[in-house]
Amino acid sequence: MLLLEMTNLNLKTLSTKLITQNILQLLSTYCTNITSLNIANNLSHILFNSLLNLISSLPLRQLYLEIPHSCSREYLNVEIYKLASSLPIMLENLYLKCHISPEYLDILLNKSRSKIKSLWLYNVTDYYMDYLKILYQYSLVPNNRLRDVRFNWKTSFSNQRRNRRSSSLSCSDEEFQKTMSKQLKDARQSILKGKRKEKKLSLDNEDIIKEPFIINGVKECVFSSHEYVFERRLCDYKDY
């Protein structure tokens, strides 16, 4: 607590798995210059709303938000509009390790003021095409800046053949790129086919954006080389 007060406006980057009401209050009072915030916590509903209030007050350029699956389903379904309005206008990199459906991703992207350049989705469990349609539609918005999209593909693209080969990472990456390129192409054609019917677009219009963004696999976020010790000590922490 004292450390946060001492660093105050000098604190630019914060990565923490410890979130309490007192810490959020200290951050909003003393540490208002944070541009990179990485949060991983099993937040209560009250803390989640307090966190959104903090996020909206910071000049963030990067936000990593990790919430357990069960909690994120509950919170985001109710607070998705508030989360969208909480994202700062200068935010460029958004990393979400939480449950978010394609429909709510659509709301988050299109109702926020942020112009996201890099979007990482760690917990994609539905059909990729549904997400890609939303992302491609978003890429057509004027002044859009989305260039880097990343999915967690390790489980979704796993199969018995790959599991038997421990050294097949490059092959897996190649298969991932090939599969996602095809699905992005299909999503693009589906979107433009619908627009063509609605607005009678010409074939030339359909070729305006051929490669709206690059798709890759996400990498796990490691908060600290001492993460195991850090997590163990959190279990003994009590906020008075």
Side-chain angles (χ1 to χ4, degrees):
M1 298 289 189
L2 181 60
L3 182 61
L4 290 177
E5 293 186 35
M6 293 175 62
T7 55
N8 55 65
L9 297 179
N10 294 315
L11 184 63
K12 301 292 185 179
T13 300
L14 176 65
S15 298
T16 180
K17 292 187 175 183
L18 175 60
I19 290 294
T20 68
Q21 197 66 50
N22 285 350
I23 288 179
L24 291 175
Q25 183 61 47
L26 285 172
L27 292 175
S28 62
T29 302
Y30 297 100
C31 308
T32 56
N33 280 346
I34 296 175
T35 58
S36 179
L37 181 63
N38 304 322
I39 298 292
N41 194 275
N42 187 3
L43 299 168
S44 68
H45 195 273
I46 294 177
L47 284 180
F48 182 73
N49 280 280
S50 297
L51 176 62
L52 295 186
N53 291 333
L54 172 66
I55 289 173
S56 65
S57 67
L58 298 176
L60 293 179
R61 294 190 177 276
Q62 173 178 306
L63 173 64
Y64 171 89
L65 184 59
E66 179 178 339
I67 307 175
H69 185 270
S70 59
C71 294
S72 58
R73 285 184 68 93
E74 176 186 354
Y75 302 161
L76 295 187
N77 287 355
V78 175
E79 305 288 0
I80 190 64
Y81 284 95
K82 187 172 182 180
L83 174 59
S85 63
S86 298
L87 297 181
I89 191 171
M90 67 284 295
L91 187 70
E92 296 180 344
N93 306 313
L94 179 60
Y95 310 139
L96 296 177
K97 192 170 186 178
C98 55
H99 171 82
I100 183 166
S101 66
E103 294 77 15
Y104 286 111
L105 178 62
D106 185 23
I107 294 173
L108 182 63
L109 292 175
N110 289 288
K111 297 300 181 181
S112 71
R113 300 172 300 158
S114 307
K115 299 297 183 181
I116 303 298
K117 288 184 178 180
S118 181
L119 176 66
W120 293 23
L121 300 174
Y122 287 81
N123 290 350
V124 175
T125 56
D126 295 327
Y127 186 39
Y128 283 91
M129 179 71 72
D130 295 333
Y131 289 90
L132 291 172
K133 285 182 179 179
I134 297 300
L135 291 168
Y136 184 78
Q137 186 74 47
Y138 177 68
S139 74
L140 298 177
V141 175
N143 300 319
N144 180 277
R145 302 170 66 188
L146 186 63
R147 294 295 178 269
D148 176 33
V149 173
R150 306 198 181 200
F151 291 107
N152 182 2
W153 58 275
K154 292 181 180 179
T155 56
S156 297
F157 281 81
S158 64
N159 56 44
Q160 294 181 355
R161 175 177 56 83
R162 184 183 299 116
N163 290 338
R164 290 196 299 264
R165 297 185 305 170
S166 59
S167 61
S168 61
L169 182 60
S170 60
C171 181
S172 300
D173 288 341
E174 182 180 352
E175 181 181 350
F176 170 77
Q177 292 290 349
K178 184 182 299 184
T179 302
M180 296 306 292
S181 294
K182 182 182 183 304
Q183 291 201 20
L184 177 59
K185 180 180 179 180
D186 292 342
R188 173 180 175 272
Q189 290 177 344
S190 176
I191 292 294
L192 293 179
K193 183 178 180 180
K195 287 182 171 293
R196 187 179 182 184
K197 289 181 179 180
E198 294 175 5
K199 301 181 179 181
K200 298 181 180 179
L201 295 177
S202 67
L203 292 178
D204 291 338
N205 292 119
E206 293 184 358
D207 290 330
I208 291 177
I209 301 180
K210 293 184 178 181
E211 297 293 339
F213 44 78
I214 297 174
I215 303 176
N216 287 298
V218 299
K219 305 298 182 183
E220 289 297 321
C221 178
V222 178
F223 280 74
S224 168
S225 58
H226 306 290
E227 188 166 343
Y228 174 75
V229 176
F230 180 59
E231 288 179 344
R232 185 177 60 188
R233 291 180 177 176
L234 283 183
C235 297
D236 299 326
Y237 179 84
K238 293 183 179 179
D239 183 29
Y240 295 99

